[in-house]
Amino acid sequence: EVQLVESGGGLVKPGGSLRLSCAASGFTFSSYSMNWVRQAPGKGLEWVSSISSSSSYIYYADSVKGRFTISRDNAKNSLYLQMNSLRAEDTAVYYCAREGGLFRPYYFDYWGQGTLVTVSS
Amino acid sequence: QSVLTQPPSVSGAPGQRVTISCTGSSSNIGAGYDVHWYQQLPGTAPKLLIYGNSNRPSGVPDRFSGSKSGTSASLAITGLQAEDEADYYCQSYDSSLSGSDVFGTGTKVTVL
């Protein structure tokens, strides 16, 4: 059974940093591209970042470019999101999601339960 | 503000058919990019409902169907059931944005 479990969320002050983790199991993690998608309270879904299976290709939404860094450790079956210079508008539930499909736009076939990041003074 | 526009809400009685539109432009759906759909039940993570415009993952009831034409896509739910009450999002790719997968604005389906 595919499982994605996020952790690392919490309350952080504006300008602060946080590192999210996503532990994957039930599939060959090193064969799949992975993504972070967020959802602000009461709002819709927003794609944040993606990373290819070997970390060769990395993409970011304009809203986080230069502040967030996605990475992965295939030996540990883990995905990460380093978030720096956090702003109030980064407050959201952050989901990690496995990417499926053969060509763009890829779909997200499995999602974690999400971890809440709150940026507030 | 998303580049994919959905109606904020649709509603229907049990057993009825409802449709949700996802309107894009020439840089996303109109450029030929596929559309995927997700269902988000209250308090839960999104779930893939339709991929590649009209394909259902294993386990998704055939009451759910998707289509695409021109710069728009649609999700139809036939035989509406109480458990279908949820938020629904379309997703595609936009060539005018760096990166970038895009989600629709989302539609709340209410079963009357």
Side-chain angles (χ1 to χ4, degrees):
Chain A
E1 177 194 6
V2 172
Q3 282 201 319
L4 299 169
V5 180
E6 302 93 337
S7 60
L11 176 63
V12 60
K13 289 181 167 55
S17 298
L18 211 55
R19 188 194 195 208
L20 305 184
S21 299
C22 173
S25 61
F27 66 102
T28 306
F29 181 72
S30 59
S31 296
Y32 288 85
S33 294
M34 297 294 295
N35 290 254
W36 289 98
V37 177
R38 68 184 181 183
Q39 186 171 35
K43 302 296 185 183
L45 301 171
E46 180 188 14
W47 171 81
V48 172
S49 182
S50 68
I51 185 169
S52 62
S53 57
S54 60
S55 304
S56 298
Y57 300 97
I58 288 176
Y59 303 97
Y60 298 99
D62 286 344
S63 58
V64 307
K65 200 173 294 182
R67 300 187 299 121
F68 290 11
T69 301
I70 191 172
S71 63
R72 64 191 295 161
D73 185 335
N74 286 343
K76 295 183 178 179
N77 290 341
S78 292
L79 174 72
Y80 306 101
L81 186 67
Q82 177 67 42
M83 303 185 296
N84 298 331
S85 303
L86 282 162
R87 307 165 180 167
E89 54 264 36
D90 295 319
T91 295
V93 173
Y94 285 74
Y95 297 101
C96 70
R98 192 182 82 168
E99 193 171 283
L102 299 176
F103 44 82
R104 281 198 177 277
Y106 306 107
Y107 48 83
F108 308 120
D109 55 0
Y110 287 94
W111 298 63
Q113 85 289 350
T115 187
L116 176 62
V117 172
T118 303
V119 183
S120 174
S121 55
Chain B
Q1 291 79 0
S2 176
V3 297
L4 302 179
T5 302
Q6 300 177 231
S9 63
V10 299
S11 62
Q16 283 190 330
R17 179 180 187 269
V18 297
T19 61
I20 301 169
S21 60
C22 175
T23 302
S25 66
S26 58
S27 62
N28 43 68
I29 299 174
Y33 294 110
D34 282 350
V35 177
H36 316 304
W37 291 90
Y38 302 85
Q39 177 192 59
Q40 187 175 31
L41 297 170
T44 70
K47 168 192 166 186
L48 180 64
L49 198 64
I50 297 285
Y51 67 94
N53 304 318
S54 59
N55 301 290
R56 285 185 307 276
S58 173
V60 173
D62 60 6
R63 303 184 292 104
F64 296 92
S65 62
S67 63
K68 188 186 94 164
S69 178
T71 58
S72 295
S74 291
L75 173 72
I77 311 173
T78 56
L80 194 64
Q81 298 183 4
E83 66 243 38
D84 299 333
E85 188 158 292
D87 294 322
Y88 294 81
Y89 295 90
C90 60
Q91 178 229 331
S92 188
Y93 178 82
D94 193 291
S95 58
S96 70
L97 302 173
S98 59
S100 195
D101 292 289
V102 289
F103 287 96
T105 50
T107 298
K108 168 71 175 179
V109 170
T110 301
V111 182
L112 302 172

